[in-house]
Amino acid sequence: MTDAEYAALRAKLLAGVEWWKARLNLWNWNLKLAWERDQFRVPDDFSPESARALAYTLSDWQYNECTITFNMAGLLGEDDAMLEYILVHEMMHMAVNEMRALRGPSDSPGEMAYRLQHEERVCTVLARGFINLRKEGASDPFPWVAGKEEVKHG
C-alpha cells in the first residue's frame, strides 16, 4: 500500500464515520479510530473467524467510549458499498455492545464466542437496514399512508 493509497482510504473512511455517526445518533460517543496499515491483528478473545476481519470494534458502553480499528491493507481495493457497510456494521457494535453485559461470570470462551456470533448478526441486519434507508432517501416516516408510495420489501 502506497502512502497515497493509505491517505485516500483513511480520508474516505473518516468522512464516512463522521457522516454516519450523526445519523446513527452516536454523536455523544468518544469515538477513536485506529488505522492498522501493516500489522492488523484482532484481540485474542474474539472468535477464530475474526482473523480475516477488515475492522473490529472495542466499546466501553458505560462511558460511551469506543475504538474502531481498520485493517487498511485488507480494505484497500474494496468498493465504496463495502466500505460503507463495514463502517456502519462496526458502528452498530457501539450501539449493541451493552448486551455483552448480560453474559454470566462463568461463561466459557466458547460461550462468549457463541454470544458474539449473535451480536455479529444483529450488527449485520441493522447495518443493512440503515444503508437501505439511506439509499432510498427515506425522509417520510409514513410512506404507506393513503396516496403515498408502497413499501418495498427485499
Side-chain angles (χ1 to χ4, degrees), residues 19-79:
W19 193 89
W20 276 105
K21 185 178 177 186
R23 284 153 183 87
L24 296 173
N25 200 32
L26 299 171
W27 54 268
N28 62 337
W29 279 72
N30 179 16
L31 173 58
K32 296 177 184 162
L33 303 174
W35 316 95
E36 293 294 338
R37 188 169 179 167
D38 301 312
Q39 300 297 320
F40 182 80
R41 185 170 181 271
V42 297
D44 290 337
D45 59 344
F46 279 45
S47 68
E49 295 83 30
S50 298
R52 64 178 194 270
L54 297 175
Y56 69 88
T57 301
L58 297 174
S59 291
D60 189 348
W61 60 269
Q62 294 170 325
Y63 301 103
N64 281 10
E65 296 180 348
C66 177
T67 300
I68 299 175
T69 302
F70 294 100
N71 176 352
M72 299 298 277
L75 289 169
L76 185 65
E78 293 291 347
D79 64 21

Side-chain angles (χ1 to χ4, degrees), residues 8 27 35 40 43 92 96 105 112 128 140:
W27 54 268
W35 316 95
F40 182 80
M92 291 295 91
V96 305
M112 188 58 194
R128 288 179 180 159
D140 185 346

